[in-house]
């Protein structure tokens, strides 16, 4: 969205191009309207973990898993499925380190949150272990978070929480293995001065990482912890 005259002038002189197809992008976004319309959105889903339901319902409700095993977090906001173009954007953001991918993902998620979420007092990106950070050279979630914090005018804290356990990649693990793998992986360096916090990550799969981080944050006295992700796997 074009917000001021500087943006209007810049857009007129240097219009963005779509990352996915190369055509002219929408105002201030590296994505064209047809590619935007083609993103796979999450429909009717569990409000706690964002797991999609097979049938439509006019009322938000909990899935069976969240009823049997309530997670430490309270609500999940996930606009897209981890498929197609969104999966492409997230993978390139994570493994290529290109700023344009994190910026686009941040803008997409910020736009969704502005229209659907009760905004928190603070955003905490899921931290990387120092060894993983050195290998990758950046934290893609933090880069996405910077865009969201700027767009929504919400403070972001990348220092209060540490990833103290060098956990193996979660990709090839089962749900049970993921929960065991991430157990005691996080530690608070300082106590967040907020009652309502949003944990930010790129993808939610089993929810093991978000659950463990939310557990640690709530143990410090925080009342509500939401999860913000670009996509639901």
């Amino acid at each position: 969205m074009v917000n001021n005259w500087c943006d209007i002038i810049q857009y007129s002189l240097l219009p963005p191009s779509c990352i996915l197809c190369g055509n002219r992008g929408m105002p201030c976004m590296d994505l064209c309207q047809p590619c935007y319309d083609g993103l796979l959105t999450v429909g009717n889903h569990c409000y706690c973990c964002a797991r999609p339901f097979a049938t439509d319902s006019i009322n938000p409700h909990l899935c069976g898993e969240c009823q049997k095993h309530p997670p430490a977090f309270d609500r999940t906001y996930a606009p897209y499925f981890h498929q197609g173009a969104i999966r492409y954007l997230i993978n390139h953001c994570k493994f290529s380190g290109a700023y344009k991918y994190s910026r686009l993902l941040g803008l997409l998620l910020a736009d969704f949150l502005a229209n659907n979420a009760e905004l928190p007092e603070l955003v905490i990106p899921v931290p990387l272990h120092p060894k993983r950070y050195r290998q990758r050279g950046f934290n893609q979630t933090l880069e996405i978070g910077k865009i969201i914090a700027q767009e929504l005018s919400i403070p972001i804290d990348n220092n209060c929480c540490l990833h103290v356990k060098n956990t193996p990649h979660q990709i090839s693990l089962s749900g049970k293995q993921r929960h065991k793998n991430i157990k005691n992986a996080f530690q608070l360096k300082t106590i967040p001065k907020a009652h309502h916090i949003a944990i930010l990550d790129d993808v939610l799969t089993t929810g093991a990482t978000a659950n463990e981080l939310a557990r640690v944050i709530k143990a410090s006295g925080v009342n509500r912890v939401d999860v913000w992700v670009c996509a639901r796997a």
Side-chain angles (χ1 to χ4, degrees):
M1 182 176 181
V2 179
N3 297 315
N4 53 51
W5 284 109
C6 291
D7 289 336
I8 293 172
I9 294 171
Q10 182 179 17
Y11 177 66
S12 299
L13 297 176
L14 297 170
S17 59
C18 180
I19 288 176
L20 299 176
C21 71
N23 290 328
R24 183 166 178 149
M26 296 185 292
C28 299
M29 187 175 288
D30 298 324
L31 193 68
C32 68
Q33 189 68 52
C35 286
Y36 174 80
D37 293 339
L39 298 177
L40 299 174
T41 57
V42 175
N44 192 43
H45 60 276
C46 171
Y47 74 81
C48 187
C49 73
R51 181 179 283 108
F53 291 119
T55 57
D56 291 333
S57 172
I58 60 173
N59 296 313
H61 54 288
L62 290 170
C63 67
E65 185 63 25
C66 286
Q67 292 181 52
K68 291 187 294 184
H69 307 288
F73 50 83
D74 297 281
R75 186 157 191 154
T76 297
Y77 293 92
Y80 304 106
F81 283 116
H82 189 228
Q83 299 175 17
I86 284 293
R87 183 169 186 170
Y88 169 86
L89 293 173
I90 290 174
N91 285 346
H92 276 70
C93 176
K94 184 179 294 186
F95 300 113
S96 299
Y99 173 77
K100 61 182 180 180
Y101 296 105
S102 60
R103 179 179 180 275
L104 177 55
L105 289 167
L107 290 174
L108 289 170
L109 184 51
D111 183 64
F112 173 82
L113 294 168
N115 292 292
N116 294 279
E118 179 183 345
L119 300 182
E121 302 159 75
L122 184 68
V123 176
I124 298 179
V126 173
L128 289 177
H129 186 273
K131 184 176 181 180
R132 183 74 53 80
Y133 185 89
R134 287 193 298 269
Q135 291 172 342
R136 191 173 293 174
F138 70 104
N139 181 350
Q140 79 283 354
T141 302
L142 173 60
E143 298 307 314
I144 294 170
K146 289 177 181 177
I147 301 299
I148 294 173
Q150 178 180 333
E151 291 293 309
L152 301 180
S153 299
I154 300 176
I156 185 170
D157 192 334
N158 187 49
N159 298 311
C160 71
C161 185
L162 303 175
H163 195 145
V164 295
K165 180 182 175 183
N166 188 19
T167 53
H169 284 289
Q170 301 267 76
I171 295 175
S172 60
L173 302 179
S174 67
K176 186 175 181 180
Q177 290 171 328
R178 287 179 182 228
H179 283 277
K180 183 178 180 180
N181 182 50
I182 205 70
K183 184 72 172 176
N184 298 321
F186 302 110
Q187 186 178 96
L188 287 182
K189 183 179 177 182
T190 58
I191 297 177
K193 295 180 180 180
H195 297 291
H196 180 191
I197 286 174
I199 293 171
L200 176 68
D201 207 353
D202 51 4
V203 181
L204 184 74
T205 305
T206 64
T209 299
N211 185 68
E212 181 62 17
L213 183 51
R215 182 188 68 80
V216 172
I217 292 173
K218 278 196 168 180
S220 73
V222 175
N223 295 329
R224 175 175 169 180
V225 177
D226 294 340
V227 177
W228 290 357
V229 290
C230 299
R232 183 61 161 94

